[in-house]
C-alpha cells in the first residue's frame, strides 16, 4: 500500500497507521510492517500503532528512530506492507525448547535486534530463554562475534591495546579514573568505554562527565587514544556493540543477569576496541553479583576462554566486593576522591590498593613490569605524578578543563549527617540501601548528590559520631532520602564486632 | 510532576512526555509512570514515549487505551510520577530461576497483565519462563482461578450448563456450528464463546459472523442463552477471561503453545461461563498440536484434573487431526457446509461423525441419553430438524437472518482449480499449506475466500481432476494464492497409496 509520510517526533521505533489502512493491510497494533522508499531503495521495519483520527487514511506517521534508517522527507510516498515473520523468531523458539544457537542463527538474532526488527517482547523472549536454558561457550563466542560485527570497531596500528572491565555490583567503584591514566602514563593505549549507571548511583561514564564530555564517535575515541594514550568515554554514544545496549535494556526490568550474555557483552566491547590485553575485576561477596569465590573462579575461566577464542589475553582479579570502594558514592564525591589520589593522597586505601593491583596486572601482562612488580610499577606512576599529568591530558582532549583540582569539585549544598545511635561497632553497612539513598538524593543525575561514608564496616564509633553524610543539590531530594533512610536502616551499630573482614582479603 | 493532559488517539497503552519532563522525572522511553487524577481519585500506569516537539513541556499526551481507565478530559491537570517496579516482576524472575508460583503471586501477575501494568516485554518473559520451566497442576489451577477472577462471569440459575472446546490445530473444524444447536435443541444450555482465527483461516467466531453479529457483553450472552438455549459468540468482546486474550497475543509471535497456560486458558473460559459439563476435543496426529495419542491422553487427564479441582465434569475426545474436518476452509464455505448438514445433508461424513460424537458425549454426561446412546440421540436431534430450528433461533437472537439457507451463502467470485498432474492417489495434503493458501486468498477477513477440497488424502484421482478449488473475493488475492501455492505444493499425487488412515480411527 502506498502511503504519504508524515514525520512524528516520537522516540520509539514505530509507525502510526490510520486504522482503516491497517485493516486493509491486515495488520494490527504491534504487528510489524516493512516501509520502503523506492526513490532511495531504503527499507526498514517498524511496529504499528493505529489511530482513528491523528492522521488521515493514506498517511503514515513515521517516528524518529525509524527515520534514522529510512531518511525520508515529509510528503514522501512510501510502500508499506505487512512484514514477514523474521527467521530469528524460529531460532529463539528453538532455544526455548532447549536447543543450541548456531553461529548463523546468532547473527540473525543479533542483526534483528540491532535493526529493531525484533519487538521488545521478542527481545525479552530471547533474553529469557537464553537465561533459563543457558548459552554454552560456543554460543557465547558466536554472540560475542555477532555483537562485534553488528557495530563499529577500532583499528589501532600501535599495540598492545589494554582494556579493563569491572563486572559491577559494588558501589563507589571509581577505580577506572585511576587505572586509565596509570596505564596510559606507562605508554600503553587504553581506549576505555564505560557505561552509565543502570541500577547504581553512577557508572564510570557518569563520573567522567563531571570532568569532561563523554559522548564521542568510535573514530574520535580512536584518534584521542592515539594522541594521549587513553580516554574514558561513554560506550553508548559510540555504536560499538550496539546490540549489547539493547539486550541490557530488556534485561533490566526483570533484573536478569544471564551469565553467557554478560560474558559476551563484556568481551564484545573489548574485542571491538581492538584490545589485546584485558583485566577483568570480579567483585566477590555477599550482595554482589558473585556470592562466592568458587563461582568467581568459574566465571574467570569462562572470560579467559572466550578471550583465547578471540585472540585476547585475559586475566581476572577476584576483588573484595562486600564493602564500597573508597568512602564515597555519587559523581562529584567519587571524582573528588579519585582526583585527590592522583594528586597524592594515600587514602582511602581500599581505592588505592584496588586500582594499583588491577593496573599492576595490566602492566605485567604488557611487559611494562616484571612478574610480581606490577603493583609497584603502578604505584610509581601514581606517586611520581605521571598518572595525574596523563589524566589532565585525557580531560583536555575530551574537552574538559585540565587544570581542575580535587578541591574544585564540591558536593551538593544540602547535607545531612547520619550519626551513631550508641557506642559500638558498625557491624552492617548495607550497600544496596546506600545506593538507594544516593539515588534518592539525586545521584547520578545531580552530580553533587551522593554519600560520604565516614565509618565503614568494622569501625568503632561513639554515640553521636557521624557515620555517613548525605549530600543533595535540592532540598526536597535530601528530605526524601532522609525519610526513606529511616526505614531502610543502611547501618547497624552493635556493641561488639561480630565479624570483621579486612579489605585486602581479596585484592 | 503536574502535567496537563492532551488526548492522543493512538491505540497503544502509553503516554507521551516531553523529553525534558521525562528527564526531570528520571524516566526513559519504555519506563513505567503512574498517572493520577486527584479530582476523581483514578490512577493508572502506562509506558512512556518521549518527544522533543510534538507536545510542549508541561503537557502529557494520553493515548486512548490509558484513558479508558483514567477517563480524563483534555486540559485536566494530572500528577505523573515514575511508577514503582511491580512485585509481579519478582515473581516472574522466580519462575525463570525454576521456582513455583504461589496462588497470590499468580493473582499479582494476572492482575498486572489485565491492568496493562506489565509491558509486552514483561508479559513475554512471563509466558516464556512458564513455557520453559512449566507449570504444575497447582500452578495451572491458580492461573485458571486468577484468569476467571480478573474478568466477568456468567451466573445461570438453570443447570447443567454445557460447554465444548477444541484445542485446535486441524483446519476446517466447523463442528461448533453443529454441536451448539444440537445441545441447545436437547434442552440444555450452551453459552459458547469462541475465538477468532489467530493462525488459522477462520475461528468459530469468524464463521458465525457470516450468519449474525458475534460481539456481545457477558450479560447479553447470559440473557440470550437463557432465552434460546445457546449462542455462538466472540469471547473477545465479553471481558470473560481478559487475561487470556493478552497472554495469547504475546504467545503468538513466537508460536509458543505452553501446555499449562493452554489448559488454564480453556478451563478459565469454561469456568467463567458457569459450565458444569465440558467436552474437550483433542485433535491428534502429525502436524497437529498433539502428535501422538499417548500425549493426548496425558493432556486429557490434566484437563479432567483441573476440571475436578474447579467442580466441572470434563470429558475429552481424542479426534483424528491429520486431515481437515469436512471439505472446506474459510468462513462462507465452512458455514455453507455446516448449514447444509443442519438442513439434512449426510455428507461430509468426517464433519457429521465428529459433531455427533462430541454432542453425544455431552448428552450422555447431562443424562439426556443413556450411556452409549449419545451419538444416536444427537443424530436424532439433527435428522429431525430440531437442531436446524435451534440454529435459526440462535441466529435470530444474535441479530442475524433466521431464514438463511446454505445455498444463500456463496464463496468469492474468483476461483481457480488445482488439478491432479497425473493419475494416482493423493498421498499428501499439507494442512498448514492449505491454511496458508486460504489466508493468502483473503480468509478469514474476506468471508468468501477459502478452499474447497475435492480429493482428500487417500483419494484416487485421474490426471486433470480438480483436487481443490481456491476462492477469493479479489482477483489479486487469488493470484497471490495461486503463485505461492505453486511453491508450497500442498498436494502430492503419487502412483500408489503409501499409507492410508481412515477418518474414524480416532472418533
Amino acid at each position: 500500500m502506498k502511503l504519504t509520510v508524515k514525520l512524528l517526533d516520537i522516540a520509539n521505533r514505530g509507525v502510526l497507521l490510520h486504522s482503516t489502512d491497517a485493516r486493509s493491510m491486515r495488520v494490527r497494533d504491534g504487528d510489524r510492517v516493512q516501509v520502503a522508499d523506492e526513490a532511495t531503495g531504503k527499507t526498514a521495519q517498524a511496529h504499528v500503532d493505529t489511530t482513528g483520527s491523528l492522521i488521515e487514511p493514506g498517511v503514515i506517521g513515521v517516528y524518529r528512530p525509524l527515520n534514522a534508517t529510512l531518511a525520508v522527507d515529509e510528503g514522501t510516498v512510501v510502500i508499506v506492507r505487512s512484514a514477514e515473520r523474521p527467521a530469528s523468531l524460529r531460532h529463539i523458539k528453538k532455544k526455548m525448547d532447549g536447543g543450541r544457537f548456531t553461529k548463523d542463527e546468532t547473527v540473525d538474532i543479533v542483526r534483528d535486534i540491532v535493526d529493531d526488527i525484533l519487538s521488545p517482547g521478542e527481545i525479552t523472549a530471547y533474553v529469557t530463554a537464553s537465561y533459563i536454558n543457558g548459552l554454552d561457550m560456543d554460543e557465547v563466542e558466536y554472540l560475542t562475534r555477532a555483537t562485534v560485527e553488528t557495530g563499529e570497531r577500532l583499528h589501532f596500528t600501535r599495540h598492545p591495546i589494554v582494556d579493563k572491565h569491572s563486572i559491577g555490583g559494588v558501589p563507589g567503584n571509581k577505580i577506572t579514573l585511576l587505572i586509565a591514566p596509570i596505564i596510559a602514563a606507562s605508554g600503553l593505549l587504553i581506549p576505555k568505554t564505560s557505561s552509565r549507571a543502570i541500577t547504581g548511583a553512577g557508572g564510570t561514564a557518569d563520573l567522567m562527565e563531571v570532568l569532561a564530555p563523554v559522548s564521542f564517535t568510535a573514530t574520535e575515541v580512536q584518534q584521542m587514544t592515539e594522541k594521549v594514550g587513553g580516554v574514558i568515554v561513554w560506550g553508548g554514544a559510540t555504536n560499538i556493540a550496539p546490540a549489547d545496549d539493547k539486550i541490557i535494556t530488556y534485561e533490566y526490568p526483570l533484573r536478569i543477569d544471564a551469565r553467557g550474555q554478560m560474558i559476551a557483552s563484556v568481551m564484545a566491547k573489548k574485542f571491538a576496541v581492538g584490545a589485546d590485553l584485558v583485566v577483568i575485576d570480579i567483585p566477590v561477596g555477599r550482595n554482589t553479583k558473585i556470592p562466592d569465590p568458587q563461582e568467581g573462579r568459574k566465571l574467570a575461566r569462562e572470560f579467559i576462554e572466550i578471550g583465547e577464542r578471540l585472540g585476547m589475553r585475559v586475566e581476572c582479579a577476584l576483588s573484595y566486593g562486600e564493602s564500597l570502594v573508597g568512602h564515597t558514592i555519587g559523581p562529584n564525591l567519587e571524582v573528588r576522591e579519585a582526583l585527590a589520589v592522583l594528586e597524592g593522597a594515600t587514602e582511602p586505601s581500599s581505592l588505592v590498593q584496588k586500582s594499583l593491583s588491577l593496573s599492576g596486572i595490566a602492566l605485567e601482562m604488557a611487559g611494562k613490569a616484571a612478574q610480581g612488580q606490577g603493583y609497584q610499577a603502578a604505584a610509581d606512576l601514581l606517586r611520581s605524578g605521571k598518572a595525574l599529568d596523563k589524566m589532565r591530558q585525557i580531560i583536555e582532549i575530551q574537552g574538559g578543563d585540565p587544570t581542575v583540582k580535587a578541591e574544585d569539585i564540591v558536593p551538593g549544598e544540602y547535607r545531612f549527617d547520619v550519626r551513631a545511635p550508641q557506642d559500638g561497632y558498625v557491624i552492617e553497612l548495607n550497600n544496596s540501601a546506600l545506593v538507594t539513598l544516593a539515588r534518592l538524593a539525586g545521584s547520578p543525575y545531580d552530580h553533587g548528590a551522593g554519600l560520604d561514608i565516614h565509618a565503614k564496616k568494622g569501625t568503632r564509633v561513639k554515640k553521636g559520631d557521624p557515620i555517613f553524610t548525605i549530600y543533595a543539590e535540592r532540598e526536597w531530594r535530601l528530605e526524601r532520602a532522609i525519610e526513606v533512610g529511616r526505614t531502610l536502616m543502611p547501618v547497624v551499630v552493635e556493641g561488639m564486632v561480630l565479624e570483621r573482614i579486612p579489605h585486602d582479603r581479596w585484592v
Side-chain angles (χ1 to χ4, degrees), chain A residues 158-431:
Chain A
R158 238 179 79 202
H159 288 273
I161 306 300
V162 177
D163 207 345
K164 64 78 56 179
H165 184 87
S166 190
I167 69 160
V170 57
N173 198 19
K174 61 215 52 110
I175 57 174
T176 296
L177 298 180
L178 298 175
I179 296 173
I182 290 171
I183 298 300
S186 79
L188 296 163
L189 299 183
I190 180 164
K192 182 74 188 87
T193 64
S194 300
S195 55
R196 293 190 183 278
I198 296 176
T199 55
T204 297
D206 298 312
L207 304 189
M208 187 64 191
E209 205 169 32
V210 171
L211 298 169
V214 294
S215 294
F216 297 96
T217 65
T219 311
E220 289 167 335
V221 169
Q222 177 163 341
Q223 288 166 347
M224 293 188 299
T225 305
E226 281 165 346
K227 269 187 204 146
V228 302
V231 290
I232 302 169
V233 300
W234 177 40
T238 58
N239 201 33
I240 288 170
D244 186 56
D245 291 339
K246 297 203 176 176
I247 288 172
I248 289 171
T249 302
Y250 297 105
E251 288 182 330
Y252 167 61
L254 287 146
R255 309 288 192 269
I256 299 172
D257 202 356
R259 175 74 52 98
Q261 272 162 342
M262 188 258 277
I263 295 171
S265 159
V266 171
M267 297 306 281
K269 289 174 197 156
K270 305 302 140 194
F271 193 59
V273 300
D276 304 295
L277 309 173
V278 179
V279 181
I280 295 181
D281 167 29
I282 303 178
V284 175
R286 280 180 308 146
N287 301 318
T288 71
K289 293 180 182 175
I290 309 293
D292 75 284
Q294 188 77 10
E295 213 186 312
R297 280 188 283 270
K298 183 168 174 295
L299 179 61
R301 277 195 302 274
E302 292 172 347
F303 272 117
I304 290 166
E305 177 173 345
I306 294 297
E308 270 174 14
R309 290 177 181 223
L310 291 153
M312 293 183 283
R313 235 181 94 209
V314 174
E315 291 201 20
C316 299
L318 304 197
S319 61
Y320 176 67
E322 294 194 10
S323 187
L324 78 164
V325 179
H327 290 127
T328 56
I329 300 175
N332 282 2
L333 286 160
E334 293 196 47
V335 169
R336 180 171 72 171
E337 189 171 52
L339 266 192
V341 170
L342 285 169
E343 289 169 4
T346 55
E347 292 286 331
S349 61
S350 58
L351 172 60
V352 175
Q353 285 181 21
K354 186 169 179 183
S355 304
L356 292 180
S357 296
L358 292 172
S359 300
I361 292 172
L363 294 176
E364 290 178 15
M365 288 170 81
K368 291 282 178 185
Q371 210 60 26
Q373 303 300 314
Y375 187 98
Q376 191 52 51
D380 291 346
L381 290 163
L382 180 62
R383 307 253 157 80
S384 64
K386 286 184 183 160
L388 176 63
D389 289 344
K390 188 50 76 179
M391 186 61 171
R392 289 181 171 149
Q393 291 171 24
I394 293 172
I395 293 168
E396 184 166 26
I397 201 155
Q398 290 186 209
D401 172 8
T403 67
V404 66
K405 291 192 179 56
E407 64 191 44
D408 302 334
I409 300 168
V410 292
E413 61 175 308
Y414 299 97
R415 52 177 287 173
F416 180 83
D417 289 327
V418 175
R419 295 174 185 279
Q422 60 180 86
D423 289 3
Y425 288 89
V426 176
I427 64 151
E428 176 74 48
L429 202 60
N430 182 322
N431 284 337

Side-chain angles (χ1 to χ4, degrees), chain A residues 449-460:
Chain A
L451 306 183
D452 192 355
I453 289 92
H454 313 299
K456 289 169 79 171
K457 200 161 141 179
T459 308
R460 188 181 174 94

